[in-house]
Amino acid sequence: MMHARVFSAAGVSPTSIARRLELRLGARDGADAVERELADLATRSRIASRFQRRDHVRRLDVELMGDAAEVAGVVQALGNRPGVQIMRDEVLPPRGAADPLYPDPSVWRRVGAPVEAGRARAPVGAGSDPPEPVVVAIVDSGVMTEHPDLTAHLWKSPDGRVRGLNLVGPDIYDVEDGDGHGTLLAGTVLAAASGSPEVVLLPVKFIDGRTRPDSERAAQAIKWAADEGAKIIDLSWEVGIVNPALRTAIEYAGTKDALVVVAAGNSGADNDRLPAFPACYGHDGCSALPEGDNRGLANVMTVMASDRFDDRAGFSNYGRSSVHIAAPGVNVTSTHQTLRSGLLPRDAGLYQRYNGSSAAAAFVAGAAALLKARNRKLTPEAIRSVLIDTADVRPDLRCKANGRVNLTRARDAV
């Protein structure tokens, strides 16, 4: 059951900025208290707010709209509140504003790639003798299949139907995005893969706007993707608990030659000390795993988020042993599912900026797919090693690579 309350405030104009947040609440921090504080902050800041509670998990979905500085102040206040973690923060531009550039040239310069690299948009299967595609499974909320930057890169059956699986709805073939997150990830994967005509996307929908990541359902999604031939599997979420079924599914994907790329998490925590899952399944000696069965999986690559200065994003988890590499995860421009509900504009354009280690993981998933397209003999462990060995070292990025992915150096290494 979802609870929703709407607070309107004077002074909200059609050109006001809109932000969408996903909050995770601590065990001792009830949703009632956070909702009361949010309502009070919104009233005092003269902005509009709307939130939906998930009573089966400690999550709160928040929408804010109003003056940009006032909205930013409310977000900061929420982020500073003990027991509240901002898991997702999406910023929508004012109505009528131009779309941000996709892919963002500043990101391409940071990762050492020419700006033109991410702009390639060739139809999948072009040419008289096209190679076998490199399939990237996006295990998330589905994908907006008609987005002009994505539709040609979705893996399709001979009859033209988009291949994929829906585990949360009555129609197993309906992979349309039920939340928006999967579409953002899809665009980031494709951009990092330089729009390669050999890279195709396989949506595996196991969450939507009403459900959250579940280990058993995720395990089913991962196994299905591996059996379908996915060589890169993106997991841009966390479940918070150890589950043997999920670990077994990821290990099974490794037997199918699939690299599983996982977001480190957005709690600002050290994963070496406070493990997050499935992020820590690639970590040898993880204390949260059963003794004698705590070896890291060689086909897991865990990714933290870096900011525009190539420092650790303040929200991002890290770990010198448990996290492998960093990638851009702040103000990343990607493909946007245009239809929204609640306070947010119904048509905010085709592109949107977003933050999170989920964006960073999608970036690395795309980079891994590009390497696989260049050398089909690369194993998951070899891809992981190439990306780590060619990373740009940055002192603030506490991970195995001690740095941020460099797309050109990695590409040239294979």
Side-chain angles (χ1 to χ4, degrees), residues 18 90-105 118-121 144 146-151 180 183-188 190-191 331-340 345-354:
E90 300 174 15
V91 180
L92 276 72
R95 293 180 189 269
D99 282 338
L101 289 177
Y102 169 78
D104 189 338
R119 297 186 182 276
R121 291 292 178 269
M144 181 182 174
E146 296 302 316
H147 195 289
D149 286 285
L150 303 179
T151 186
T183 299
L184 292 168
L185 300 176
T188 303
L190 187 59
N331 284 332
V332 176
T333 303
S334 191
T335 49
H336 173 225
Q337 182 192 19
T338 56
L339 295 181
R340 290 291 188 184
R346 289 188 61 80
D347 185 0
L350 291 172
Y351 309 100
Q352 179 182 324
R353 297 186 186 276
Y354 73 124

Side-chain angles (χ1 to χ4, degrees), residues 96-162:
D99 282 338
L101 289 177
Y102 169 78
D104 189 338
S106 65
V107 173
W108 285 98
R109 294 188 189 99
R110 273 208 314 283
V111 299
V115 174
E116 294 78 12
R119 297 186 182 276
R121 291 292 178 269
V124 172
S128 58
D129 187 21
E132 284 294 313
V134 175
V135 180
V136 181
I138 300 174
V139 180
D140 209 84
S141 62
V143 169
M144 181 182 174
T145 60
E146 296 302 316
H147 195 289
D149 286 285
L150 303 179
T151 186
H153 288 267
L154 293 169
W155 200 18
K156 295 184 173 72
S157 301
D159 62 2
R161 178 180 60 82
V162 174

Side-chain angles (χ1 to χ4, degrees), residues 106-112 304-314 325-330 363 391-399 402-406:
S106 65
V107 173
W108 285 98
R109 294 188 189 99
R110 273 208 314 283
V111 299
M304 63 182 288
S306 59
D307 63 17
R308 64 190 181 94
F309 301 108
D310 287 330
D311 293 330
R312 179 178 72 88
I325 201 167
V330 174
F363 193 98
D392 287 334
V393 175
R394 296 289 184 268
D396 189 47
L397 299 178
R398 287 166 280 179
C399 56
N402 291 316
R404 188 254 306 124
V405 65
N406 184 305

Side-chain angles (χ1 to χ4, degrees), residues 254-286:
T255 69
K256 297 287 187 176
D257 197 35
L259 176 69
V260 179
V261 183
V262 187
N266 298 334
S267 304
D270 183 349
N271 282 0
D272 292 354
R273 296 177 55 250
L274 300 170
F277 294 94
C280 286
Y281 285 133
H283 172 28
D284 284 325
C286 176

Side-chain angles (χ1 to χ4, degrees), residues 338-406:
T338 56
L339 295 181
R340 290 291 188 184
S341 62
L343 297 171
L344 304 189
R346 289 188 61 80
D347 185 0
L350 291 172
Y351 309 100
Q352 179 182 324
R353 297 186 186 276
Y354 73 124
N355 301 328
S357 60
S358 57
F363 193 98
V364 169
L370 184 61
L371 300 189
K372 188 73 173 179
R374 289 175 66 86
N375 184 348
R376 303 307 176 94
K377 295 181 179 179
L378 288 175
T379 65
E381 193 170 11
I383 294 173
R384 188 172 77 175
S385 295
V386 168
L387 289 169
I388 291 174
D389 292 343
T390 58
D392 287 334
V393 175
R394 296 289 184 268
D396 189 47
L397 299 178
R398 287 166 280 179
C399 56
K400 286 187 176 182
N402 291 316
R404 188 254 306 124
V405 65
N406 184 305

Side-chain angles (χ1 to χ4, degrees), residues 1 15 21 31-32 73-74 79 156 179 217 223 240 245 269 278 292 299-300 324-325 328-329 334 356 362 378 388 409:
M1 180 179 179
T15 58
L21 311 172
D32 286 341
V74 172
K156 295 184 173 72
D179 175 73
R217 196 164 55 244
K223 287 182 178 180
N299 67 313
V300 172
H324 296 96
I325 201 167
S334 191
L378 288 175
I388 291 174
R409 289 176 58 189

